[in-house]
Amino acid sequence: MDTVVLLSGTTRGDTLENLGRSLGRDFVSHGIKFIELSMRDEAHLIESIKLVNFEQVKLIFSWASMGMGLTVRRENGTYFDLWHELRIPFVTFHGDSPAYFFDRHVVKDSKFITLYGFAEHCELRKRLPLVRGPIDSCWPIIADDTPVDSLDLEAKRNGKILFLKNGKDPNELRRLWTNTLEPFPLQIIFELASYLENHLDECAGNQIDDLITKYFINCGYDLDHLLKLRLFLIAQLDDYIRAVKCTRMIEALLDLPVEIRGNNWSHVDFTGKKATYIDECDYVKSVGLIRNSLGLIDMSPNTVSRPHDRFVRACGAHTFCLTNEQQFLEELPNREHLSFRFDKESIQQRVAAALDHRAATVDMGIEVAEAYRKKHPSEELIVQMLKYASLAKLDNLRQRPHGSQDFFVWPPSSLQ
């Protein structure tokens, strides 16, 4: 039976592991066997691997390159790269910029297919070196899909609006830069950060690399061979702008009866405010919370091309999701009610409207979820993964396919 294998690890709140399982369930619904191999249990990992019939495995997949460099110990004490030996296509998903953990974004060879959840991150990666395999973007599919007739719609109409987000203090980042950078780099990062902070709703933050490159050209400095500096600045500024955005959102939400769940919000004072804060990050628990909520509040990771996982999780629960203005919303119904700008008035108006018109909010959530489901069904991503896997498999054959012509040398020995 055709099989796919998920390699899972450990991430905050088990978020990536559960997204992988959700995709695994979609494969099962399409008649493909799904196996999860957890790298948490190192003592039993090799035993679990030995139980898999890899002749039936169409592809292996993971998030953030987890397990791509897995080595196995031989009886003689030496080690070998398992996936190099098996030559099975390996698909890895990335939901973040390659500037953060660039080593995880290195594509070792053509067995490895890298899919980005945001076109902006995919474009940036293609500008960077060490690409020896396919790189593409994909449309996130519905996560934790729940039939609408299994939901208690009355409970949803009386439910809460949730903001599931870990925080970060932008002022702490500025202090960090001040304490660690020399005067000229500090001047550069402060100027760029201030520009981005004053243009939160514009496109500059969606591809920070463009802003950095233009800045250095205008200053007359050569950045072409300072790649590590470029990645440092992208990561720092991306992190900073996210911190600014989510802090502004929290400050706007304090006066509204919403529930905020996440870690690292100590820089915000919730005393005497209408908003409720719960210091918690738990994916499994949040599945039920989203299903029973009136709505979810989202914030993109400095992107506009594709939805964040919170949005597709809300769609899986047929739950209304309010997010910042983004390009992908243009293809969905009620888009004028789905987004806000990063200012207090806009955020409060949108959230207040959802609270004041609860029945309409629930109905919009159902309508948007169905529209996204039809526009980007699970088959779309599954077919994309399987097609890329078939191409990678052919590219990695050790000898020409049986019965093919014998008048050319394939595969070329110089490309092994």
Side-chain angles (χ1 to χ4, degrees):
M1 182 179 184
D2 286 347
T3 302
V4 297
V5 174
L6 165 67
L7 285 181
S8 63
T10 303
T11 57
R12 188 193 291 264
D14 274 351
T15 300
L16 299 184
E17 291 75 24
N18 280 286
L19 288 173
R21 291 165 197 143
S22 180
L23 179 56
R25 290 191 290 271
D26 287 319
F27 271 107
V28 171
S29 69
H30 289 83
I32 298 175
K33 185 178 179 181
F34 167 65
I35 296 173
E36 178 181 355
L37 297 177
S38 174
M39 291 181 291
R40 294 183 184 183
D41 188 1
E42 295 183 10
H44 298 95
L45 176 59
I46 300 303
E47 295 176 18
S48 300
I49 289 174
K50 290 179 179 179
L51 296 175
V52 178
N53 182 357
F54 283 102
E55 292 184 359
Q56 297 178 338
V57 173
K58 305 292 287 185
L59 61 88
I60 300 150
F61 71 100
S62 76
W63 258 257
S65 298
M66 283 188 280
M68 282 180 62
L70 187 62
T71 57
V72 177
R73 187 176 185 274
R74 295 186 179 93
E75 291 183 0
N76 64 7
T78 60
Y79 288 84
F80 66 95
D81 186 317
L82 180 61
W83 312 129
H84 179 75
E85 292 297 315
L86 293 175
R87 290 181 174 249
I88 295 174
F90 193 123
V91 179
T92 193
F93 294 96
H94 287 286
D96 227 331
S97 169
Y100 284 103
F101 297 97
F102 179 73
D103 292 341
R104 286 186 171 271
H105 296 256
V106 171
V107 188
K108 295 191 295 184
D109 61 51
S110 61
K111 290 188 296 297
F112 299 100
I113 301 109
T114 303
L115 296 180
Y116 286 89
F118 300 101
E120 295 88 344
H121 298 160
C122 181
E123 179 188 342
L124 175 60
R125 182 63 189 95
K126 287 183 176 181
R127 302 177 183 183
L128 303 171
L130 302 179
V131 178
R132 302 186 185 96
I135 292 178
D136 205 346
S137 60
C138 63
W139 276 92
I141 60 174
I142 297 292
D144 304 311
D145 203 2
T146 305
V148 67
D149 56 11
S150 69
L151 299 173
D152 186 340
L153 298 184
E154 183 61 29
K156 288 186 72 63
R157 284 188 282 269
N158 293 309
K160 301 174 181 178
I161 287 187
L162 305 173
F163 186 36
L164 309 177
K165 183 76 179 75
N166 294 320
K168 178 162 287 189
D169 184 359
N171 293 323
E172 182 61 32
L173 283 172
R174 282 183 172 268
R175 287 191 290 270
L176 182 150
W177 298 337
T178 301
N179 293 332
T180 57
L181 298 179
E182 294 186 0
F184 186 44
L186 183 63
Q187 174 192 334
I188 293 170
I189 202 167
F190 270 5
E191 289 182 3
L192 291 171
S194 296
Y195 178 85
L196 288 167
E197 188 170 356
N198 292 324
H199 298 81
L200 291 183
D201 293 298
E202 299 177 19
C203 62
N206 300 330
Q207 194 57 268
I208 295 173
D209 187 44
D210 289 342
L211 181 67
I212 293 169
T213 302
K214 183 178 179 181
Y215 179 94
F216 275 85
I217 290 174
N218 290 340
C219 291
Y221 289 92
D222 177 14
L223 193 64
D224 290 348
H225 299 286
L226 298 175
L227 180 58
K228 294 187 289 295
L229 169 64
R230 190 167 138 212
L231 292 175
F232 174 83
L233 291 173
I234 294 171
Q236 293 297 311
L237 292 167
D238 184 83
D239 194 33
Y240 178 75
I241 295 306
R242 291 200 212 182
V244 170
K245 287 178 177 179
C246 67
T247 300
R248 284 196 186 182
M249 289 177 65
I250 289 293
E251 291 171 346
L253 295 172
L254 288 175
D255 296 325
L256 295 167
V258 302
E259 185 171 284
I260 299 155
R261 288 175 179 256
N263 306 139
N264 305 326
W265 285 111
S266 59
H267 62 290
V268 176
D269 184 5
F270 292 89
T271 305
K273 303 299 183 181
K274 290 183 179 180
T276 301
Y277 171 57
I278 298 173
D279 188 358
E280 176 184 84
C281 180
D282 186 323
Y283 185 102
V284 174
K285 183 182 289 187
S286 68
V287 172
L289 292 171
I290 295 171
R291 287 175 183 168
N292 294 317
S293 70
L294 172 65
L296 195 64
I297 302 172
D298 175 50
M299 186 196 87
S300 72
N302 296 327
T303 57
V304 295
S305 61
R306 305 281 195 272
H308 186 268
D309 66 80
R310 279 184 295 267
F311 189 92
V312 293
R313 292 183 66 200
C315 286
H318 291 83
T319 296
F320 174 79
C321 187
L322 180 65
T323 188
N324 55 291
E325 293 179 345
Q326 294 170 70
Q327 181 181 338
F328 82 89
L329 293 172
E330 295 176 3
E331 68 180 35
L332 298 174
N334 303 303
R335 59 184 179 273
E336 67 275 14
H337 301 293
L338 301 177
S339 64
F340 56 81
R341 295 176 65 83
F342 284 105
D343 65 73
K344 186 174 184 178
E345 183 179 2
S346 176
I347 295 168
Q348 289 184 339
Q349 284 181 347
R350 287 291 187 236
V351 175
L355 289 166
D356 291 342
H357 303 89
R358 289 174 171 269
T361 297
V362 171
D363 291 343
M364 275 193 290
I366 295 171
E367 186 178 0
V368 169
E370 289 302 322
Y372 188 87
R373 185 176 281 98
K374 290 177 182 177
K375 188 75 175 178
H376 302 290
S378 62
E379 293 88 349
E380 185 178 62
L381 179 57
I382 288 171
V383 168
Q384 183 182 19
M385 292 173 68
L386 291 172
K387 285 185 174 179
Y388 263 121
S390 68
L391 296 175
K393 181 179 179 180
L394 178 58
D395 190 78
N396 282 277
L397 290 179
R398 287 189 169 94
Q399 58 188 17
R400 68 167 62 93
H402 180 71
S404 60
Q405 307 96 316
D406 60 1
F407 55 77
F408 71 103
V409 176
W410 193 90
S413 58
S414 59
L415 297 179
Q416 294 302 299

